[in-house]
Amino acid sequence: MRIDIITCLPKLLESPFNQSILHRAQTKGLVEVKIHDLRDYAINKHQQVDDYAYGVGAGMVLMIEPLDKCISNLQKERDYDEIIFMTPDGETFDQRSANTLSLMKNIIIICGHYKGIDERVREHFVTKEISIGDYVLSGGELAAAVVSDAIIRLVPGVLSDETSALTDSFQDGLLAPPVYSRPADYKGMKVPDVLLSGNDAKIEEWRLEKAMERTKQRRPDLYKKLFPDKKD
Ligand code: ADE
């Protein structure tokens, strides 16, 4: 899979892709992430990529021309499954969207800034608009990193334990159950006996019970969706 991210603040995106799982996914050749500096497509030698919004006065808007040039340049090389714009008024990102996007071959992610991007880019180039939650960030970069992380860890081969993505919170619609590690007894705080029993079936039953309990307590909205008829 290949992800092309278009930004006017490329430095903001360096670190997240150069650490841990995201870095390993790239060195293993499973994912290619390319960051494009929008200023390389600026309209003049002053590196201008933004301008005042018509009719509003205050607030800068990313212009259509640099974005068109950058996107068209990328499209000359390959077909893209989605051209995504990160924006607080997009559809809210969730695990289901991450699963869908992880199956794609090539995607572009555009990071907005200031007051946003020229609406014509959204109308004519963008195929999907994503928000990572109901709050406003100063730009789309951190949101793009969040979305990329959630997608990349689902690409087959990225996680060393193939099953671990399957047992994540939300992957089956439930929150993940609690986990414990050594020692079994720390200053009187004990690991539940069942986890030390070696009985795989009993352990699975316990994990499902805890996942359901946790989901019901912390996310009654999800629980209701999964078990609409359950009374207790
Ligand atoms: N850009 C600014 N705020 C954002 C958000 N909540 N989600 C996605 N992109 C954004």
Side-chain angles (χ1 to χ4, degrees):
M1 147 172 244
R2 177 177 165 123
I3 305 178
D4 289 278
I5 305 182
I6 304 174
T7 170
C8 46
L9 291 173
K11 279 206 160 39
L12 206 48
L13 282 164
E14 264 168 29
S15 162
F17 292 103
N18 284 319
Q19 316 280 333
S20 184
I21 290 173
L22 300 195
H23 185 245
R24 217 174 328 123
Q26 292 171 83
T27 51
K28 275 190 186 171
L30 299 167
V31 178
E32 218 179 328
V33 180
K34 298 279 177 217
I35 316 279
H36 304 276
D37 187 347
L38 191 60
R39 295 197 192 277
D40 293 342
Y41 301 86
I43 60 155
N44 55 29
K45 63 176 185 328
H46 307 295
Q47 296 213 300
Q48 187 181 357
V49 292
D50 56 354
D51 210 338
Y52 292 101
Y54 276 123
V56 188
M60 302 299 271
V61 171
L62 289 185
M63 302 165 86
I64 187 168
E65 186 177 335
L67 283 164
D68 176 24
K69 281 187 181 154
C70 183
I71 295 168
S72 307
N73 208 36
L74 290 170
Q75 282 175 323
K76 267 188 234 146
E77 300 297 321
R78 64 197 68 76
D79 288 333
Y80 284 91
D81 303 301
E82 295 281 10
I83 300 182
I84 299 166
F85 173 47
M86 301 309 307
T87 174
D89 58 9
E91 69 183 69
T92 309
F93 189 63
D94 60 12
Q95 193 64 37
R96 184 199 290 256
S97 330
N99 288 340
T100 307
L101 290 173
S102 74
L103 301 172
M104 303 202 160
K105 204 159 152 3
N106 301 307
I107 60 175
I108 290 176
I109 304 182
I110 303 169
C111 306
H113 247 275
Y114 316 111
K115 275 276 168 230
I117 62 173
D118 191 305
E119 189 67 15
R120 290 167 292 183
V121 177
R122 299 173 74 161
E123 284 167 6
H124 300 284
F125 298 91
V126 169
T127 59
K128 195 178 197 54
E129 303 194 323
I130 296 180
S131 161
I132 60 161
D134 288 343
Y135 42 83
V136 180
L137 302 166
S138 20
E141 284 75 12
L142 298 180
V146 165
V147 166
S148 303
D149 183 310
I151 297 171
I152 290 172
R153 61 195 298 290
L154 295 173
V155 171
V158 168
L159 295 183
S160 41
D161 175 0
E162 285 277 0
T163 62
S164 68
L166 299 175
T167 56
D168 283 340
S169 272
F170 300 115
Q171 202 59 38
D172 52 7
L174 290 169
L175 301 186
V179 288
Y180 299 85
S181 184
R182 285 186 295 176
D185 183 342
Y186 183 70
K187 297 182 179 174
M189 294 177 268
K190 295 203 171 102
V191 171
D193 287 338
V194 61
L195 295 180
L196 311 173
S197 69
N199 184 333
D200 290 345
K202 275 244 142 31
I203 290 173
E204 260 328 291
E205 198 181 308
W206 179 89
R207 284 172 52 79
L208 179 62
E209 192 186 305
K210 291 290 164 193
M212 288 177 66
E213 206 174 284
R214 190 162 267 198
T215 310
K216 190 175 169 195
Q217 261 170 16
R218 297 183 183 197
R219 292 294 305 272
D221 56 320
L222 288 180
Y223 191 82
K224 262 219 159 80
K225 241 193 245 166
L226 284 168
F227 310 106
D229 301 326
K230 226 172 161 89
K231 285 279 172 289
D232 55 314

